[in-house]
Amino acid sequence: MGSPEFALFGLNALAQSHHEIVGVVTREDKIKGRKKLPLPTVVKTRSEELGLKVFTPKNPNEGEFLEEIKKLNADIIVVSAYGKILKSEILAMPKYGVMNIHGSLLPLYRGASPINSAIKNGDTKTGITIMYLDEGMDEGDICLKKTLEIGENENFDSLRDRMGALGGEMLIEALELIEKGSAPRIRQRKDAATYCNLMTRDDELINWQQNLGEIHNHIRSISPNPGAFTYFGKEPIKILETTKEFAEYTGKPGEFLGAQKNQGVQIGANGGYLWLITVKPAGKKAMKALDWYRGLRNTENIKFTNEPIE
């Protein structure tokens, strides 16, 4: 059971193993674009390529879907970023329970955005937890846990892919332990738990009153998609890639300070300079920040702002 890119790693790992995948459950198609065409999840597309049986229930906890799942008689259900809550009837179905590939070192970052949150908070380490799912919010017992370093300028996509690959490997390891009857069950420490929420549009807006490190981490935590944005005049612009330079800066946050060929476009921030590497102006494709800057008619007294300015 899974939906976005992160879930592909577990699916592919299972497909390449000796285990039999009796069915795949993913979120329903989204209707997108001017033509209102259905857009399947990447998990559905990959599952169909593999010739697997795919289910896309609106509510996985009721109706005919539950009967269909019972007929599959699965030994175990694996969940990876499925995006919907599973209730007790499904959790109790498989002989060996429901395993979840979670993108954090539980009990840290229980919830829907653990990878984004680790980057946004400036963490230098994160990891994958293979856990037994229960009705709580990522509260089940831990089977396996492994750590990964987070690069100083690493963005969400890069970290997601590295974590996804590790999660796929750990899933197969956990299944082997279950087959042998030696899989551990380690209770989580409730007093050490932290939580993260689903990302919203409000989380994408850059706040220039924050310090340099916070802005840099915010940008890379949601890059390249959906991408952090700010306002340049009245138009929104996404900032997709940056580096930071700590220094004493007493000017206005968001102010343009010039450009350098080897570093990008220099922006003032509380605590130093933010160097823009890649940006995406409204209605255009992503481009080098230097190319965008050179195309501006006037580069005097310009700045980014938290709100649109006419």
Side-chain angles (χ1 to χ4, degrees):
M1 303 178 96
S3 299
E5 286 83 355
F6 180 79
L8 284 177
F9 293 91
L11 174 62
N12 286 328
L14 285 171
Q16 293 164 14
S17 72
H18 69 276
H19 303 290
E20 179 190 1
I21 304 174
V22 295
V24 175
V25 183
T26 189
R27 298 195 68 149
E28 59 269 40
D29 296 355
K30 287 185 177 180
I31 304 300
K32 283 200 169 185
R34 294 179 181 178
K35 295 184 179 180
K36 305 293 183 183
L37 296 175
L39 180 67
T41 68
V42 292
V43 165
K44 180 179 179 181
T45 300
R46 178 59 178 150
S47 298
E48 290 176 343
E49 290 174 358
L50 293 168
L52 300 172
K53 191 170 186 177
V54 182
F55 302 87
T56 58
K58 186 173 182 180
N59 185 342
N61 297 294
E62 62 182 30
E64 296 179 3
F65 173 71
L66 286 177
E67 296 304 315
E68 292 288 337
I69 289 295
K70 286 179 184 176
K71 290 176 186 176
L72 295 177
N73 196 30
D75 292 312
I76 193 165
I77 293 175
V78 175
V79 178
S80 180
Y82 174 42
K84 296 197 176 187
I85 294 172
L86 303 179
K87 295 186 178 178
S88 57
E89 191 167 355
I90 288 182
L91 296 176
M93 275 185 195
K95 179 180 179 181
Y96 297 106
V98 180
M99 303 293 287
N100 181 39
I101 306 173
H102 188 76
S104 79
L105 297 172
L106 289 171
L108 299 178
Y109 298 124
R110 293 175 175 175
S113 59
I115 302 176
N116 308 91
S117 297
I119 298 174
K120 187 173 183 178
N121 290 338
D123 295 355
T124 58
K125 292 182 180 180
T126 184
I128 292 289
T129 303
I130 305 294
M131 59 171 291
Y132 300 88
L133 210 60
D134 61 18
E135 287 193 86
M137 175 64 76
D138 300 320
E139 296 175 5
D141 292 344
I142 293 169
C143 177
L144 294 175
K145 189 157 61 170
K146 292 185 180 180
T147 301
L148 272 181
E149 302 285 332
I150 303 176
E152 182 181 359
N153 296 313
E154 187 165 25
N155 70 7
F156 171 79
D157 266 17
S158 170
L159 184 58
R160 177 205 62 206
D161 288 354
R162 291 199 300 120
M163 292 179 70
L166 177 61
E169 294 171 6
M170 291 172 64
L171 170 62
I172 302 305
E173 182 181 346
L175 293 178
E176 289 173 357
L177 291 172
I178 289 171
E179 285 183 297
K180 295 174 183 176
S182 58
R185 293 191 74 116
I186 304 166
R187 297 194 70 176
Q188 292 189 44
R189 283 182 52 197
K190 292 182 179 180
D191 62 329
T194 61
Y195 295 86
C196 55
N197 298 318
L198 190 67
M199 307 294 286
T200 68
R201 175 68 173 172
D202 291 340
D203 295 311
E204 298 168 24
L205 179 62
I206 296 169
N207 178 3
W208 291 100
Q209 274 58 60
Q210 289 186 312
N211 66 45
L212 173 64
E214 290 172 327
I215 293 172
H216 174 67
N217 292 339
H218 174 205
I219 290 166
R220 62 196 185 96
S221 74
I222 52 174
S223 177
N225 187 44
F229 76 96
T230 185
Y231 288 99
F232 183 67
K234 63 180 180 179
E235 294 293 329
I237 180 171
K238 290 187 177 183
I239 300 178
L240 303 181
E241 185 182 1
T242 59
T243 59
K244 63 183 185 296
E245 179 186 347
F246 292 110
E248 188 173 334
Y249 175 71
T250 57
K252 296 178 180 178
E255 188 175 24
F256 282 61
L257 303 174
Q260 292 186 22
K261 185 177 181 180
N262 295 327
Q263 289 185 280
V265 179
Q266 188 182 36
I267 308 295
N270 292 318
Y273 309 115
L274 189 73
W275 291 92
L276 309 187
I277 310 299
T278 307
V279 299
K280 186 181 183 301
K284 295 184 179 181
K285 294 182 179 180
M287 64 175 67
K288 292 293 183 183
L290 279 171
D291 294 338
W292 172 74
Y293 182 74
R294 288 167 181 155
L296 299 177
R297 293 181 181 178
N298 178 21
T299 57
E300 296 292 326
N301 300 317
I302 56 175
K303 63 179 293 188
F304 288 133
T305 56
N306 296 341
E307 298 179 345
I309 298 175
E310 293 293 336

